[in-house]
Structures are given as C-alpha cells and as structure tokens.
Amino acid sequence: MDIKLKIWRQKNATTKGRFEDYELSDVSPEMSFLEMLDYLNKQLIEEGKEPVTFEHDCREGICGTCGLYINGRPHGPQQHTTTCELHMRAFKDGDTIVVEPWRSKAFPIIKDLAVDRSAFDKIMQAGGFVNIATGSAPEANSIPINKKISDRAFDASVCIGCGACVAACKNSSAMLFVAAKVSQFALLPQGKVEAADRVQRMVEKMDELGFGFCSNTYACEFDCPKGISVEFIAQMNREFLSAKLCSHKGH
Amino acid sequence: MIKLDSKIPEGPIAEKWSKHKNSLRLVNPANKKKLEIIVVGTGLAGASAASSLGELGYNVKVFCFQDTPRRAHSVAAQGGINAAKNYKNDGDSVHRLFYDMVKGGDYRAREANVYRAAEVSNQVIDHYTALGVPFARDYGGALDNRSFGGVQVSRTFYAKGQTGQQCLLGTYSSLSRQIAKGRVKMYSRRDMLDVVVIDGKARGIITRNLITGEIERHGAHAVVLATGGYGTVFYLSTLALGSNATAAWSAHKKGALFANPSFIQIHPTSIPVLNDYQCKLTLMSESLRNDGRVWVPKEKGDKRHPNSITEEERDYYLERRYPAFGNLVPRDVASRAAKERCDAGYGVGDTGLSVYLDFKDSIAKQGQKAIQDKYGNLFEMYEKITGINPYNEPMRIYPAGHYTMGGLWVDYNLMTTIPGLYAIGESNFSDHGANRLGASSLMQCSGDGYFILPYTISDYLADDIRTPKTDTNHLEFERAEKEVKDRIDRLMAVNGTQTTSSFHKRLGKILWDHCGMFRNAEGLKKGRELLDQLEEEFWKEIKIPGTPDELNQELEKAIKVADFFEVGRLMIEDALARNESCGAHFREEYQTEQGEAKRDDANYAYVAAWEYHGHAKKPALHKEPLKFEFVELKERSYK
Ligand SMILES: Cc1cc2nc3c(=O)[nH]c(=O)nc-3n(C[C@H](O)[C@H](O)[C@H](O)COP(=O)(O)OP(=O)(O)OC[C@H]3O[C@@H](n4cnc5c(N)ncnc54)[C@H](O)[C@@H]3O)c2cc1C
Ligand code: SF4
Ligand code: FES
C-alpha cells in the first residue's frame, strides 16, 4: 500500500521543530508500525538524509520504550496495543498518518520523536519500593496471600512505564502510573507497613516534577496499552487520604 | 601467559559454596565507603548486583544504554523462574535441579557453579516475594508452580507470561531505593565501549553519552559486566534490538577470555518470519508447551486449514519420538525436530517454515478461561502480530536465535581472566553448558547478582582498601578513549552507500545458515569466507548520517555491528574446533543413528576459552577440563 506521513522533526531539545512530509510506497500490511519507520529510514539514509529518531527496544510490547502519538492518539488507533505491536493492517492504502512525540512539559523532547521520561524514575525513587534488604526475606510461603488480591496486585503491576497516560491526559497528570505502583504495594502484605509514607512521598514528588492534576476524564485508562484501570486511582486517593488523616494523628 | 584457574573449592558438592563463603575475606563497613564499583547493565543480573552492593555500603555506579534501568531486556522474559522449593511435593530438591541443569546442558557446564545456582535459587524466590513481585498463587494463598521444558517436576514460579517484567520491576525498585539513598549513581543512556586496564587490573570504563555523543571516563576499584546476551548476532532473534556484544567484546580485546562462543540456543517456539522487513522474532514462551501440542500434517505439503485436518491425519512428532517427555523435551531437541520436519517437506504456512502449536485439547479439557488465565497475554501478543486468534486455530511457530550460553570466561568467583573484572548473568558462560533449560536464566542472573557476587567481590576488594580512587587522567584512560574515538571516526569516515541494518541482516543470514541449528565443517569454512568478504564490504560501504556528537542511532548500531563481525568469526572458529555434537551445537558429522547429538566426552569435555590475538588473527584456544564427579556422564536421552 501507499501511505503519506507527517512526522515531527526536531534536531534537539533547544531547536524548534516542524512537521515534514514523506511518501512511502510498497508498504506491506504485515509490517509493524516501527518496521514501516525502519523502511522509511532506510530510504532516507540511502538518499543521504537524516533518518527519523524514534525510541524502541523489545519490539514486543513489554519494555515501554516505544510510544508515539499517531493520528492524535498515544500508541495509535488500536486499544491495548503499544506502538511496536501496531501493524500496518490497521491502516488503509492512501492514508495520511501524523506522527508526533509525547507532548508533556514533564517529558522534554530530545530529538525528533524521542522524549525524556526520567521523571518517572524520580517518582519511583521517592518511594516506589518495598524496604527490604537482600538476605533478610522470610520464606516465601510464610506470607500467604488471597489469590484474588494477589491477582489484583498483578493487574496493577503490569504498567510498562511508557508514559502514554501522561501524554493522553489534558493536564499531563501521572496519576495512572503512580496509582498503579501505589496500589500494587498497598494491596500486598509486603508493602503495607510503609504504605502511608509511600503514597505521600510519591504523590508529592509527582507534583514537584510538574505533572498536572487529575480531573477524572479517564483518557489515561482509554489510551493505556496495558489496560490499567482508573479504579487504581480511586484506590490511591483512598490511600492518600487515610495517610493524610493518620499523619495528622501524629503517625 | 594466561593460565586458567577455575578456583573450584575442594570438598563435597553440597558444601563447596558454604565452605568457600566462610573463607572469603570481608571488607569492613568503614572501608566499603571508600571503594567504588562499576556495574554495567541493569537487567536482573546488573540491577540486583548494584542494589545489593549499594546496600552493603560500597559506592556503586551503574550503567545502561536504555533511558531507564527498568527497560533492560530481562523485562521481556516470559515464562518463569526456577527454584528448588519442592512446593509441589513432587520430589524436587537442590540436587535434582542441579542434575537437570547439568544433563540439560549436555554435560558441558561446570558442576560446582551449577550446584551453587540451584542452591541459592530458593533465596531468590524469597527475596522477590518480599519485594512484592506478584507471582501466581493458588486458592490457599500459597505460591503456585508449573513445569517447563526439559524437566519432569513443577519448579517454575511465574507471573502469567510476564515473569521477567515482574522480577525486573522488583529489582528496579530496590535499585531505585539505593539510588535515592545516594549509594548507587545511575548513568542511563550510556554505551560502554571499552574497559580500562591499569597494571593488569580493571580500573574503569569508557562510555559514550548517547544524547551528547560525549566520550566519558569512569574509574573504579572493580568493574562488573552484566551486559546480557548477543543472540542479536543473528539479526533476527528473540532479543530486544539494542542487545549487543560490544561491552563483552571490548573486555575480550583487553585480555578477558571468551568461552564457548558457538553455544547459542535456538528457541523452538517463536513466531515465524512473516515478511522481508522483519527485524525481530517474537518468542512464544516455552510454558505454552505445557498445554499446547506440537504437530505437522502426516501428508507432505498438506495446505488445508489446520482445523480441517483430522486427528488421524496429524503427526504429533514430539510425542511420537520422545514418549517420556513429549512436548516438554528441551529446546535443542524440540528445535531440531521442528527443522527436521520442515526440511522434510511437512512444514506449514506459506513458507513451509513453521509447525503448529495447538491448544484445542487443553481448551476442551480445561476451558478457555483456564488457558486465558495462564497464557492470556501471550495469546494476545500472538494475535496482534499475526492477526490470527490462537483460541480458534493453532499457533504457528518456528525456531529462532535466542540465548547465548557462551560468554566471558569466569572462575568460581565470577571473575574473568582480567583481575577486578567480573561478568555475571547471561554475559558469562558458566552455568548452562551447551544448552539452557527454561526458566533457569532468570534464576542464574538473580542468584549471581543478589547472592554470589556480593560475597566474592569482597575477597578481591579486601586487597584494595588502601588503593586510592582511580585517576581517570591515567595514561591508560587516555589511550582507551583515543582508541574509542578513532574507531568512531573510522566508521563515520567510510561514508558509503549502504545502511548498517542491511549489513547486519546479511551477516545474520550467513551465521544462521552456516553456524545455526546445524553445522558442518564445510559449511563453517564457507561461512567464514562469506563473513570475511562481508566485513570488508562493510568497512567500505557503510553509511552513517549525522555526526558523532549528537544522538545518532545509526552510529550506535554501526559500532555494534562492527563488533558482531568479530564475534561471528569467533563463533565459527569455536564451532569448527569442537568435533562433536552437544546441546545447541549440532555438528552434522557427529550424530547417532536416530539423528540425536553425539558427544565425544573423551576429547571434548572441556570449556573452550579463547584468547584474542588481534583483528581477524587466529585466536588461541585454552581448555578448561570439565570433571564430572557428582553426576555420571552419560548419553542424554529424553525417550
Ligand atoms: C524473549 C525472551 C524470553 C525469555 N524468557 C525467559 C524465561 O521465561 N525464563 C528465564 O529464565 N529466562 C528467559 N529468557 C532469558 C533471560 O531473560 C535473559 O537471559 C536474562 O534476562 C539476561 O539478564 P541479564 O541481566 O544478564 O541481561 P539483560 O537483562 O539483557 O540486561 C543487559 C543490560 O546491559 C546493558 N548493556 C548491554 N550492553 C551495554 C553497553 N555496551 N553499554 C551499556 N550498557 C549495556 C543493557 O542496557 C541492560 O541494562 C528470555 C529471553 C528472551 C529474549
Ligand atoms: S499506566 Fe499505562 S499508559 Fe501509563 S505508563 Fe503505565 S502502561 Fe503506560
Ligand atoms: S519497543 Fe518495547 S514496548 Fe514497544
């Protein structure tokens, strides 16, 4: 099939960017979206031009490296699908596809379609862990966990840290990402003792890093490739509130 | 002259590690603060090592090429992680896990290391559980297990098809904790391009900052490589695209021996090649073979839809050939059997290069829900890539390049032949012999990083407590930096007409065809010729746009591919020198009448450790003899 591309090109963080138009023929519907970009880059290089910079690694939807705005949606038109898993059969011959990087103040552009998501690491460093030193763990089966609860913690744990939730949100909120981690640990006995501290520290960090607030539009859930539920945001809010109350009581 | 000393402790196998631990020297906490350790890699091996060393009080600097440690390739492991917990009461034990690994590796692994990996496995599971890793549980709240290729007990812990993700995120969280405490400093988006050796000891590394292109020097008292595998040498593989051999290869060029480079596992269950632009083969976890049955039509070239081929018309060839293990035979056996059927004309799909993996019977027996619970995300992944719903018709699978059992040679302390340079996880060679059993890499990587290296490295550092901080103005840093810069300039200067990827693809095909699932002396020699020619062309024709002092992904690739040529050449050398078949290394000249691998224990029960003698020069072979004192050397049979 033949397709037209409008791609955001930006030399580096300090230069102004712009859209460039490209035309590609002989695109196979079997190609993944990123293979289509490889194909474009091959042509650009052979023509002596600079290829488009985009980020990727595993190319199977698990590392969270890839992520593009495709026709106005993070990770493209298919729900629960990362950009690397999206295939060209989702498009039609003659389509024009607009490709942009994540748009969020907290994720500055590095080059073309690549952005800096290190703010997520900073949130994790603020408390996204269980304080347990190597060597001090008890026997694994000494802490039985109800299967339903453990499955629920698993559902929260599958976030790949791609940042689509932030990109999708009109306020650039990182709520879904933070809520997923907070909930996973809040559900499990392992993380409970420090749950109140954790949620406060992570939420404070998120605010400090310039992410916006949550106004319950649910765009994050809709565009999250892993289908993380906004119910975890509710869970986090409960955790946060009770943590605040407890700390007033002098905990 | 390099002398191989494996430093395996004396005594009964079950006591070696605990005795050894008691004899290793310690560094007192006040001195730990003064010591710096570099860890390259943030996969399960690197991140677990860095966080544990940070906890102990060392100053740790940790590097990865991704934007964040959470994306290291361990995140992609699907199936599970082994431990000898015997939770299923099916007779498992440390000894049995040890035995299965030695046998699975076709008796080409070092007994003492394998035993230790099995021994620390239980602690690994305890630690992950404590970190909040949500492993599967049964209704009583206890952890659940399943079985995996090549074994008859259920010892594999799993989190749906996302075990690697869950373990890595657990480890990343403990790493984050140490970063927050300031004990570990994280350097992401860095490519390690050289190791710096001063007075015979590893004292630092040279990296390229991938954003600015700046070449940087980092000094330390010791360097740990945890840089993963080089299966991407085949171009098409199950690995993440950034996986590479560069860090390990730079160490090899500086004097670290490289062991068993030709032992590369071909994984039997990957989604087959679907088009010409493909750059990646997606793995379908081996755990699927617990419930999926592998078959091809009995009739050659039967092109009918799989659902209309009746039971009598199907050949469940694994169950037929290997009745005791059936679909659960190890990877090398399953891979060869699939290729054999396809080569004989029974393969399915447009290309004839695939076989069916069918869930019809399990869905009928257990219900779709049960299958979905176990493998849901794998089924979704399959459907996204192929457009076919595997609940309604069988998956198509084919073998693909996967795991590297070869890697830097290390002694029992996980130290390479360069003092102060360690290699852990997939980047070393030590625990899997000629073939890796499923779910034992995550186990090894985590064990190395959490429970082995932190002990052994202190023994080395005990001598270094008075050594001041490494001076990165030292002549050797200057020299290494200059070499790295020269190499980059040389690559940039070629300014030919072809892309790096096109060379990588052609190189991969040469290696796959001539040093892949089946090898023979003639083919290997032919492959060597083709590789030499292609390498020459590479250095004349490669084209890298842009400049080296900016984010330049084409340059990043070119640096890696330039090294892959050299790695490929050593793989061929190694495969040629091993006149036997074992595990993943199948030399067609050496097979039994039934077409199974035929080992030659009298002549080849050794680790082949290669010494670098210059580009395209004949490397020197050092042999570490393998002694089997605790398991009997015998023919490996899964019948
Ligand atoms: C698709 C797939 C599925 C798998 N499933 C399983 C499974 O179910 N069970 C199992 O036991 N094993 C499995 N494996 C194998 C297992 O995942 C790997 O062997 C293991 O994760 C390797 O871990 P590691 O820490 O050694 O390296 P990796 O996780 O590969 O990490 C390598 C690290 O090194 C860094 N690095 C590499 N080169 C450089 C450089 N030059 N400069 C700077 N940094 C560098 C990277 O940034 C990364 O942080 C699977 C492998 C694949 C490919
Ligand atoms: S919550 Fe979803 S969208 Fe947000 S980072 Fe995680 S996986 Fe990506
Ligand atoms: S490249 Fe890893 S999720 Fe897309």
Side-chain angles (χ1 to χ4, degrees):
Chain A
M1 49 201 231
D2 294 339
I3 53 163
K4 295 193 184 71
L5 291 159
K6 266 187 175 322
I7 300 182
W8 185 258
R9 301 299 308 260
Q10 182 169 334
K11 191 161 173 48
N12 54 41
T14 51
T15 326
K16 253 186 91 173
R18 62 183 191 290
F19 278 105
E20 290 269 344
D21 294 335
Y22 304 93
E23 284 183 21
L24 269 186
S25 46
D26 289 332
V27 171
S28 149
E30 300 268 282
M31 281 181 184
S32 72
F33 194 83
L34 298 185
E35 280 161 2
M36 181 275 292
L37 289 179
D38 290 340
Y39 177 56
L40 168 71
N41 277 347
K42 180 170 189 293
Q43 296 188 7
L44 290 176
I45 296 168
E46 283 168 356
E47 288 164 17
K49 297 184 186 138
E50 274 230 36
V52 181
T53 298
F54 62 94
E55 296 211 89
H56 61 93
D57 197 17
C58 74
R59 294 223 181 175
E60 56 182 65
I62 192 75
C63 71
T65 312
C66 67
L68 301 171
Y69 244 101
I70 300 167
N71 288 342
R73 275 191 65 188
H75 292 296
Q78 261 171 23
Q79 229 181 340
H80 302 166
T81 306
T82 56
T83 302
C84 60
E85 292 175 304
L86 178 65
H87 278 65
M88 293 310 290
R89 52 179 113 76
F91 301 91
K92 293 189 306 292
D93 189 33
D95 272 359
T96 298
I97 308 174
V98 184
V99 191
E100 297 161 80
W102 281 172
R103 289 176 278 177
S104 159
K105 204 170 68 195
F107 295 160
I109 293 183
I110 296 172
K111 183 174 182 176
D112 294 343
L113 303 171
V115 302
D116 177 0
R117 285 168 286 192
S118 51
F120 273 4
D121 289 322
K122 299 201 179 97
I123 296 177
M124 285 294 289
Q125 287 155 18
F129 43 78
V130 174
N131 265 295
I132 175 96
T134 311
S136 55
E139 208 293 324
N141 260 350
S142 64
I143 324 165
I145 304 176
N146 177 296
K147 179 168 163 45
K148 271 198 200 131
I149 292 182
S150 154
D151 285 352
R152 182 125 182 93
F154 177 84
D155 291 341
S157 74
V158 298
C159 160
I160 58 174
C162 65
C165 46
V166 175
C169 175
K170 66 179 164 55
N171 311 316
S172 287
S173 167
M175 275 301 223
L176 196 61
F177 171 81
V178 180
K181 205 72 216 170
V182 164
S183 302
Q184 175 191 346
F185 289 148
L187 285 160
L188 297 172
Q190 291 92 333
K192 263 240 153 80
V193 274
E194 44 186 337
D197 266 358
R198 175 181 308 111
V199 67
Q200 295 191 67
R201 280 188 279 141
M202 289 181 83
V203 169
E204 272 162 27
K205 194 56 161 188
M206 170 176 81
D207 292 343
E208 183 191 314
L209 290 167
F211 291 99
F213 57 97
C214 170
S215 56
N216 298 319
T217 49
Y218 301 163
C220 54
E221 179 185 272
F222 191 75
D223 279 330
C224 169
K226 297 293 145 182
I228 308 263
S229 160
V230 286
E231 283 169 27
F232 292 121
I233 296 186
Q235 165 124 22
M236 178 171 90
N237 286 336
R238 278 198 303 276
E239 292 288 322
F240 188 69
L241 221 66
S242 76
K244 278 272 186 232
L245 290 176
C246 288
S247 61
H248 281 301
K249 282 190 217 138
H251 272 272
Chain B
M1 196 37 214
I2 290 176
K3 213 183 132 282
L4 285 182
D5 177 3
S6 59
K7 304 219 173 75
I8 298 170
E10 292 296 314
I13 191 100
E15 289 165 28
K16 282 183 195 289
W17 177 231
S18 40
K19 275 202 178 143
H20 187 63
K21 270 196 292 191
N22 292 334
S23 72
L24 290 168
R25 287 168 304 164
L26 301 173
V27 176
N28 97 34
N31 287 327
K32 282 188 187 135
K33 273 189 260 171
K34 296 184 223 151
L35 293 168
E36 290 185 312
I37 303 174
I38 282 175
V39 178
V40 189
T42 58
L44 283 185
S48 57
S51 63
S52 301
L53 292 169
E55 263 166 25
L56 287 171
Y58 295 105
N59 274 305
V60 181
K61 299 189 239 186
V62 60
F63 297 78
C64 72
F65 65 73
Q66 290 91 351
D67 63 333
T68 148
R70 66 177 291 147
R71 307 204 205 284
H73 188 52
S74 293
V75 80
Q78 297 173 350
I81 174 166
N82 282 341
K85 288 276 196 185
N86 195 28
Y87 283 165
K88 288 283 180 186
N89 198 28
D90 53 7
D92 202 11
S93 63
V94 168
H95 195 274
R96 198 169 291 244
L97 173 51
F98 155 69
Y99 172 80
D100 283 344
M101 279 177 77
V102 171
K103 175 187 171 196
D106 221 350
Y107 304 88
R108 290 295 173 262
R110 202 190 268 154
E111 275 187 335
N113 286 59
V114 179
Y115 193 93
R116 177 176 62 183
E119 194 178 335
V120 301
S121 67
N122 290 341
Q123 265 178 293
V124 167
I125 297 302
D126 295 341
H127 189 57
Y128 280 137
T129 307
L131 280 171
V133 170
F135 287 126
R137 290 185 179 261
D138 60 30
Y139 288 95
L143 291 155
D144 197 11
N145 297 118
R146 64 184 175 201
S147 65
F148 230 68
V151 297
Q152 290 165 312
V153 292
S154 292
R155 63 163 70 106
T156 306
F157 293 77
Y158 64 101
K160 291 209 177 137
Q162 278 141 276
T163 314
Q165 180 193 29
Q166 292 311 318
C167 292
L168 186 72
L169 292 183
T171 305
Y172 159 72
S173 73
S174 56
L175 181 63
S176 300
R177 173 172 167 247
Q178 293 305 313
I179 295 173
K181 285 189 169 169
R183 292 270 178 68
V184 175
K185 187 159 168 37
M186 180 71 225
Y187 296 83
S188 52
R189 295 193 190 270
R190 299 297 201 295
D191 242 350
M192 172 190 159
L193 299 179
D194 208 355
V195 30
V196 180
V197 179
I198 299 176
D199 299 330
K201 292 180 173 173
R203 291 294 189 201
I205 60 171
I206 303 289
T207 59
R208 180 168 177 273
N209 180 321
L210 298 179
I211 302 288
T212 62
E214 198 182 335
I215 305 298
E216 308 163 325
R217 306 174 184 187
H218 303 275
H221 292 86
V223 176
V224 181
L225 298 186
T227 49
Y230 53 91
T232 29
V233 73
F234 287 121
Y235 186 67
L236 284 173
S237 82
T238 61
L239 281 109
L241 269 59
S243 304
N244 68 96
T246 292
W249 196 253
S250 71
H252 178 53
K253 288 208 260 186
K254 284 276 162 86
L257 300 196
F258 206 102
N260 300 337
S262 71
F263 287 0
I264 304 197
Q265 179 165 79
I266 310 293
H267 199 292
T269 57
S270 123
I271 301 179
V273 181
L274 301 171
N275 70 70
D276 216 29
Y277 302 99
Q278 215 161 318
C279 56
K280 149 101 196 183
L281 294 172
T282 300
L283 184 76
M284 285 289 106
S285 167
E286 177 167 45
S287 60
L288 293 171
R289 287 196 277 146
N290 278 330
D291 290 301
R293 298 177 70 195
V294 178
W295 63 275
V296 292
K298 274 188 182 153
E299 179 112 0
K300 244 186 215 184
D302 187 342
K303 288 284 169 211
R304 282 178 296 164
H305 190 277
N307 290 355
S308 54
I309 298 178
T310 63
E311 213 46 34
E312 296 71 50
E313 296 169 307
R314 299 174 173 200
D315 174 17
Y316 294 94
Y317 58 88
L318 290 177
E319 296 165 42
R320 169 170 59 77
R321 280 177 68 175
Y322 308 98
F325 281 74
N327 294 296
L328 290 178
V329 289
R331 294 172 179 178
D332 57 330
V333 178
S335 296
R336 279 197 295 277
K339 185 165 191 299
E340 187 278 328
R341 281 295 79 190
C342 294
D343 289 352
Y346 297 89
V348 299
D350 294 341
T351 54
L353 288 179
S354 55
V355 300
Y356 290 124
L357 177 62
D358 200 338
F359 295 86
K360 177 174 62 81
D361 294 349
S362 320
I363 291 175
K365 233 182 272 155
Q366 305 169 32
Q368 177 149 333
K369 169 91 176 46
I371 296 299
Q372 200 166 344
D373 276 353
K374 280 192 249 186
Y375 315 111
N377 74 307
L378 298 172
F379 276 49
E380 271 170 36
M381 195 149 88
Y382 184 86
E383 185 168 2
K384 273 175 198 154
I385 291 171
T386 62
I388 292 170
N389 178 343
Y391 292 104
N392 302 336
E393 62 178 277
M395 289 182 176
R396 285 203 290 119
I397 52 160
Y398 196 67
H402 182 58
Y403 182 88
T404 44
M405 281 77 67
L408 291 170
W409 185 90
V410 290
D411 63 17
Y412 189 69
N413 293 327
L414 304 179
M415 188 153 88
T416 68
T417 44
I418 300 176
L421 181 70
Y422 291 77
I424 59 175
E426 193 173 340
S427 71
N428 75 22
F429 86 102
S430 68
D431 291 11
H432 309 291
N435 176 53
R436 172 175 72 87
L437 290 184
S440 54
S441 175
L442 298 185
M443 168 185 112
Q444 178 228 341
C445 292
S446 314
D448 280 4
Y450 278 124
F451 299 110
I452 301 170
L453 180 88
Y455 290 92
T456 60
I457 204 169
S458 77
D459 190 56
Y460 172 81
L461 290 171
D463 284 331
D464 253 18
I465 48 176
R466 278 179 206 86
T467 310
K469 248 180 120 136
T470 300
D471 173 15
T472 54
N473 290 318
H474 192 283
L475 189 67
E476 288 300 334
F477 271 95
E478 217 151 277
R479 195 176 292 166
E481 181 181 314
K482 182 165 183 312
E483 272 167 28
V484 163
K485 282 186 169 154
D486 287 350
R487 194 167 165 84
I488 290 173
D489 290 344
R490 219 183 121 204
L491 282 165
M492 295 299 304
V494 177
N495 198 18
T497 56
Q498 290 177 48
T499 63
T500 302
S501 300
S502 68
F503 280 104
H504 190 179
K505 191 171 171 179
R506 284 159 71 192
L507 170 65
K509 174 119 177 55
I510 294 173
L511 291 171
W512 180 256
D513 288 347
H514 301 279
C515 192
M517 239 187 293
F518 292 88
R519 297 121 188 231
N520 60 56
E522 205 187 323
L524 286 163
K525 286 180 193 151
K526 177 84 193 150
R528 187 161 60 186
E529 256 171 57
L530 293 171
L531 186 149
D532 286 346
Q533 284 164 15
L534 190 67
E535 191 187 31
E536 215 184 296
E537 193 183 327
F538 172 84
W539 284 102
K540 283 194 191 119
E541 284 301 331
I542 183 171
K543 170 137 192 117
I544 306 166
T547 66
D549 46 17
E550 60 179 340
L551 176 57
N552 188 334
Q553 296 176 325
E554 287 301 308
L555 173 61
E556 290 167 31
K557 278 191 235 170
I559 293 171
K560 291 167 184 166
V561 173
D563 287 333
F564 279 144
F565 278 106
E566 301 191 35
V567 174
R569 187 176 284 115
L570 191 66
M571 279 166 60
I572 291 178
E573 204 62 51
D574 186 53
L576 260 174
R578 193 172 277 281
N579 292 320
E580 64 161 351
S581 291
C582 60
H585 171 65
F586 194 92
R587 280 280 298 270
E588 285 168 316
E589 303 96 315
Y590 310 99
Q591 49 180 303
T592 63
E593 271 165 28
Q594 296 81 37
E596 306 295 340
K598 197 166 153 200
R599 284 200 328 263
D600 175 355
D601 294 326
N603 295 304
Y604 293 94
Y606 62 69
V607 174
W610 298 91
E611 183 184 350
Y612 187 75
H613 275 183
H615 178 252
K617 299 241 171 62
K618 196 160 177 59
L621 174 60
H622 299 260
K623 298 175 184 173
E624 178 198 334
L626 289 169
K627 276 189 273 168
F628 292 90
E629 296 174 67
F630 304 95
V631 286
E632 187 196 346
L633 263 181
K634 56 179 180 202
E635 198 183 315
R636 190 166 152 247
S637 165
Y638 293 91
K639 299 261 175 207

